[in-house]
């Protein structure tokens, strides 16, 4: 493997030559282009750039009605929804549920033999790609039949499918791998400096990875060569989000950072906490979870537009469907993009509606007009984790 110095030297040369020649558009309405027209939720953050945005979708605007509620056990990632199947990771297993009834169809590890599944799967062309227990595996979505398995020997981050299915990108330990989607064979691998805990973001020509050491890397999707590396002041445990000519990353120093397509820092805005809950982008605004509040920040200049308290501490990644922002906390909130009525960051009447579906609402996703929410409810035996499907009222 190359030394740190040689890697960074080659990254600098490649970045100057290759980025100048690639076609990267400039507007922030390109968040809709990044998100595409898929009304499913097939991967972490909805799409390979993790915009958490469903521009072509619809969702509840005045209230919700509960379709079903099932016990889920330990919740470790947002649910993935494709067609009539919901895939949800629950710590020691990943379950495939019927989207209409919530009934279990199959699971990855029915014996629950100590494996750990912390990341959402990625679905493409009828195949679910699942990471956990230091390996990546492919399963047929309908039958649950395993198609291939690849061992890494290090903890794995969530998978990301490349542009139009061109490869499967998985990080394990300090290394990013590109795999053949059909066979699981390794096309290339690139070792970085620091553990990679989050799924990479992919937008040709870039694969963007973040490390717990606080570094953001841009690699070439085609062969893994380095374009650039940018260091941030503290650890990064937030999935990177890409839109237009920006890469948005939350950092443990409590700031949201925007990097340019050559890795240069464009702006930073304080949002508090560890800035690791999740980032969404839509129509010129970045929505970032600061742990206790959801913040709206201008994508171009980083100006702080508004914030809404969520009533509890935790990770509450936003979900944007059309012109509504959904977020958890002590309840489900459906927010207006303008943040309600007010001056500066102080707003009232920010919500279209709220719904009490549990005393804590965490990971969310949206698909085909419905919301899927992981929540914690109180029972006579104590707290219970559940997955809830919510339809428009």
């Amino acid at each position: 493997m190359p030394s740190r110095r040689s890697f960074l030297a080659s990254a600098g040369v490649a970045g100057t030559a290759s980025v100048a020649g690639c076609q990267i558009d400039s507007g922030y309405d390109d968040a809709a282009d990044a998100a595409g027209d898929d009304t499913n939720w097939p991967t972490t953050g909805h799409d390979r750039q993790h915009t958490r945005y469903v521009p072509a979708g619809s969702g509840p605007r005045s209230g919700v009605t509960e379709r079903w509620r099932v016990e889920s056990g330990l919740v470790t990632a947002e649910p993935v929804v494709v067609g009539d199947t919901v895939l949800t990771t629950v710590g020691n297993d990943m379950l495939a549920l019927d989207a209409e009834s919530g009934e279990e169809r199959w699971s990855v590890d029915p014996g629950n033999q100590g494996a750990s599944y912390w990341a959402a799967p990625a679905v493409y062309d009828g195949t679910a790609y699942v990471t956990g227990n230091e390996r990546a595996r492919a399963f047929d979505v309908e039958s649950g039949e395993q198609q291939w398995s690849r061992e890494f020997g290090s903890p794995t981050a969530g998978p990301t499918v490349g542009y139009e299915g061109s490869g499967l990108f998985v990080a394990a330990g300090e290394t990013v791998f590109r795999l053949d989607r059909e066979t699981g064979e390794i096309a290339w691998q690139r070792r970085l400096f620091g553990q990679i805990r989050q799924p990479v973001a992919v937008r040709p020509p870039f694969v963007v990875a973040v490390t717990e050491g606080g570094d953001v890397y841009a690699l070439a999707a085609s062969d893994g060569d380095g374009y650039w590396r940018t260091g941030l002041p503290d650890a990064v445990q937030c999935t990177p989000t890409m839109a237009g000519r920006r890469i948005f990353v939350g950092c443990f120093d409590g700031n949201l950072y925007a990097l340019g397509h050559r890795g240069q820092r464009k702006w930073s805005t304080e949002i508090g906490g560890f800035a690791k809950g999740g980032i969404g982008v839509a129509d010129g605004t970045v929505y970032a979870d600061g742990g206790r509040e959801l913040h709206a920040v201008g994508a171009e200049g980083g100006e702080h537009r508004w914030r809404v308290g969520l009533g509890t501490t935790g990770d509450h990644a936003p979900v944007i469907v059309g012109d509504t922002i959904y977020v958890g906390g002590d309840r489900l909130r459906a927010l207006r993009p303008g943040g309600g009525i007010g001056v500066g960051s102080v707003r009232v009447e920010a919500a279209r509606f709220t719904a009490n579906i549990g005393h804590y609402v965490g990971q969310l996703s949206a698909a085909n007009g419905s919301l899927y929410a992981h929540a914690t409810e109180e029972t006579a035996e104590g707290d219970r984790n559940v997955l809830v499907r919510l339809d428009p009222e």
Side-chain angles (χ1 to χ4, degrees):
M1 301 306 265
S3 68
R4 185 183 182 98
R5 179 174 295 177
S6 64
F7 176 89
L8 297 179
S10 65
V13 172
T16 301
S18 301
V19 174
C22 65
Q23 298 298 312
I24 300 179
D25 41 31
S26 58
Y28 283 97
D29 291 335
D30 290 336
D33 292 334
D37 59 4
D38 194 348
T39 59
N40 291 298
W41 193 278
T43 189
T44 297
H46 175 264
D47 50 80
R48 66 181 184 277
Q49 297 183 53
H50 310 312
T51 64
R52 308 194 64 82
Y53 183 26
V54 190
S58 62
R61 292 178 61 85
S62 59
V64 291
T65 182
E66 188 173 307
R67 181 68 167 269
W68 47 255
R69 174 180 296 240
V70 297
E71 186 170 3
S72 60
L74 177 66
V75 175
T76 56
E78 67 208 61
V80 160
V81 186
V82 175
D84 62 357
T85 303
V86 181
L87 301 174
T88 181
T89 50
V90 293
N92 59 2
D93 204 353
M94 191 207 74
L95 310 178
L97 309 179
D98 184 279
E100 294 300 312
S101 66
E103 295 181 356
E104 182 179 330
R105 290 179 174 174
W106 53 268
S107 76
V108 166
D109 194 358
N112 295 331
Q113 299 176 2
S116 295
Y117 300 91
W118 295 101
V123 177
Y124 188 86
D125 196 22
T127 299
Y129 301 97
V130 181
T131 57
N133 203 30
E134 301 186 349
R135 57 181 171 168
R137 291 186 282 173
F139 295 86
D140 181 83
V141 171
E142 288 298 319
S143 68
E145 180 181 357
Q146 181 173 300
Q147 298 174 346
W148 55 258
S149 177
R150 163 67 57 181
E151 298 281 348
F152 295 105
S154 298
T156 50
T160 304
V161 176
Y163 180 70
E164 294 187 344
S166 57
L168 178 70
F169 297 91
V170 175
E174 296 185 343
T175 303
V176 177
F177 295 85
R178 175 172 173 161
L179 307 180
D180 185 287
R181 283 195 311 105
E182 301 294 332
T183 65
E185 294 298 316
I186 297 173
W188 57 254
Q189 62 188 78
R190 172 67 62 172
R191 185 173 181 181
L192 308 182
F193 304 97
Q195 295 290 315
I196 309 161
R197 303 294 190 192
Q198 304 300 322
V200 301
V202 180
R203 181 184 184 185
F206 296 143
V207 174
V208 174
V210 298
T211 73
E212 290 198 330
D215 291 326
V216 183
Y217 289 86
L219 310 176
S222 58
D223 57 15
D225 282 352
Y227 278 115
W228 49 258
R229 164 188 166 269
T230 297
L232 298 182
D234 210 330
V236 176
Q237 290 188 356
C238 178
T239 301
T241 295
M242 304 176 71
R245 297 170 69 88
R246 294 286 189 271
I247 298 162
F248 303 102
V249 180
C251 181
F252 259 41
D253 68 350
N255 285 289
L256 172 68
Y257 288 86
L259 306 182
H261 65 287
R262 291 185 174 89
Q264 70 275 34
R265 290 193 202 177
K266 305 299 285 189
W267 52 257
S268 65
T269 300
E270 184 176 358
I271 61 172
F274 296 118
K276 68 184 184 68
I279 297 168
V281 185
D283 196 25
T285 302
V286 183
Y287 301 97
D289 174 23
R292 294 189 63 88
E293 297 173 316
L294 182 71
H295 298 258
V297 177
E300 179 65 35
E303 70 279 6
H304 194 282
R305 293 178 174 172
W306 52 261
R307 65 180 183 271
V308 172
L310 302 179
T312 186
T313 301
D315 292 342
H316 321 97
V319 167
I320 309 143
V321 183
D323 64 351
T324 302
I325 304 101
Y326 302 96
V327 66
D330 62 353
R331 67 197 67 189
L332 173 69
R333 291 172 170 82
L335 305 175
R336 298 178 175 88
I341 303 169
V343 178
S345 63
V346 180
R347 303 296 174 101
V348 296
E349 298 183 12
R352 299 190 191 280
F353 70 87
T354 65
N356 294 312
I357 62 172
H359 67 80
Y360 177 77
V361 181
Q363 305 276 2
L364 300 174
S365 58
N368 306 314
S370 299
L371 300 176
Y372 296 82
H374 282 299
T376 304
E377 62 181 14
E378 294 180 353
T379 71
E381 293 76 31
D383 286 352
R384 183 175 73 161
N385 295 320
V386 293
L387 174 62
V388 187
R389 173 176 166 173
L390 301 167
D391 293 343
E393 191 173 59

